[in-house]
Amino acid sequence: MSNLRNAPFSQNEANVSTLSLDMLLALSPAVAFGCVLFGWRVLLVVGISIVSALFFELLGGWIARRPSDLRDGTAAVTGLIVSLLLPASVPLFVPVLACAFGIFLVKLPFGGSGHNLFNPAAAGLAFVTECFSHHVFAYPAREAVIPFTLRTPEVNVAASPAGLLKTGGSTAFSWYELLIGQVTGPIGTVAILVLVACAVYLFVRRGAAPLLTVSCLAACAVIAALFPRSADITWYESILFELCSGYLVFGAIFMLNDPVTSPRHPLAHVMYGVAVGVLTMLMRHFGQFEEGFCFALLLCNAVSGVFDRFAWQLLRPRRQRRKEREV
């Protein structure tokens, strides 16, 4: 009998704590590089977001009269991911509301850590994207100086590469600027080389599955090559701009690999990653917002177990033939 019938599920508490610690360590270079690019207000946004996630985790446990153990690190990871997907100049109530929605209304009602059906960070970001898109996509211009203040700073904003592609225009950024983060965008997603280094760390530590990340990005690359969103770019430039814009690479590394909401079977990893990539590109082409990865991920979260069961059933004849040969 398949052990995937009750998916999604998580590892034991010790493994969850280790995975969370690895995720926090892998995300720390993105925080540091964000401070270099956007200033010290990054730490304020990150701190408020993490504290909010921890607070709502405790509050939910108190209301449900169920002890909340913050030592597993899952709430901190959610808060950190939410903060890194927002502009450095974002009003501080935005990450607070995103964490409140993701933790209090999406994670805890399903039973808390290890039982949530949807990725809390993706759900929180989707919520604030729908309600406050004018804040979520208001990225500071590269030359803007963002003061360290609790108030919403008044800075010049500029279109991100994803925003330029959404309007059908060509990006004014070179491949070199896209790779090292000299572009407008969310705090932790603009430096692609930094994210690649973080991914290598997670892959080595087995905190992320390469098949999930690579299949998602490969699906996006194929669609980008076949259907460029700008008439002024070549197919390979379309691939570069699509992969290096928005928070696609960040999401494929840190959000797609959530051990609770993603499938477990290797073949299901490929199918799941491709599904998220295709849906992301469809939302980029036809959706309301410049980035749709969080919505694509949530849709696939809902049927994560289906991918596992399909992969298991698909490979069952092969396993049966192998057992017959062994007999």
Side-chain angles (χ1 to χ4, degrees), residues 241-262:
F241 294 148
E242 290 287 4
L243 295 186
C244 296
S245 64
Y247 49 85
L248 174 59
V249 172
F250 182 97
I253 297 170
F254 298 107
M255 301 169 74
L256 191 64
N257 283 282
D258 180 2
V260 179
T261 58
S262 62

Side-chain angles (χ1 to χ4, degrees), residues 20-209:
S20 297
L21 178 59
D22 284 338
M23 190 68 71
L24 292 172
L25 290 175
L27 287 165
S28 58
V31 176
F33 201 78
C35 291
V36 173
L37 292 177
F38 304 109
W40 294 111
R41 195 174 190 270
V42 166
L43 294 181
L44 187 59
V45 176
V46 169
I48 290 291
S49 186
I50 293 177
V51 170
S52 299
L54 297 175
F55 170 76
F56 289 115
E57 183 88 12
L58 287 174
L59 180 61
W62 178 76
I63 292 175
R65 296 183 179 180
R66 182 178 60 241
S68 297
D69 188 1
L70 303 181
R71 291 176 297 179
D72 65 5
T74 56
V77 170
T78 296
L80 183 53
I81 289 177
V82 166
S83 65
L84 294 178
L85 296 177
L86 296 172
S89 58
V90 70
L92 295 180
F93 73 85
V94 174
V96 172
L97 289 180
C99 291
F101 188 86
I103 298 289
F104 202 64
L105 297 178
V106 173
K107 177 182 177 181
L108 297 181
F110 288 94
S113 298
H115 303 282
N116 47 288
L117 178 63
F118 299 100
N119 183 287
L125 186 67
F127 172 72
V128 295
T129 297
E130 285 286 352
C131 299
F132 308 103
S133 60
H134 55 290
H135 291 312
V136 173
F137 299 118
Y139 302 119
R142 283 185 291 176
E143 67 277 4
V145 178
I146 307 172
F148 187 89
T149 175
L150 292 173
R151 298 181 178 180
T152 304
E154 295 183 1
V155 297
N156 294 327
V157 298
S160 67
L164 292 172
L165 287 172
K166 183 63 179 176
T167 59
S170 59
T171 66
F173 305 106
S174 66
W175 66 268
Y176 178 77
E177 292 173 319
L178 289 168
L179 292 180
I180 66 171
Q182 297 300 312
V183 298
T184 53
I187 292 172
T189 70
V190 293
I192 301 301
L193 290 181
V194 173
L195 296 180
V196 170
C198 296
V200 171
Y201 169 80
L202 286 177
F203 294 156
V204 172
R205 291 284 297 171
R206 297 187 178 181

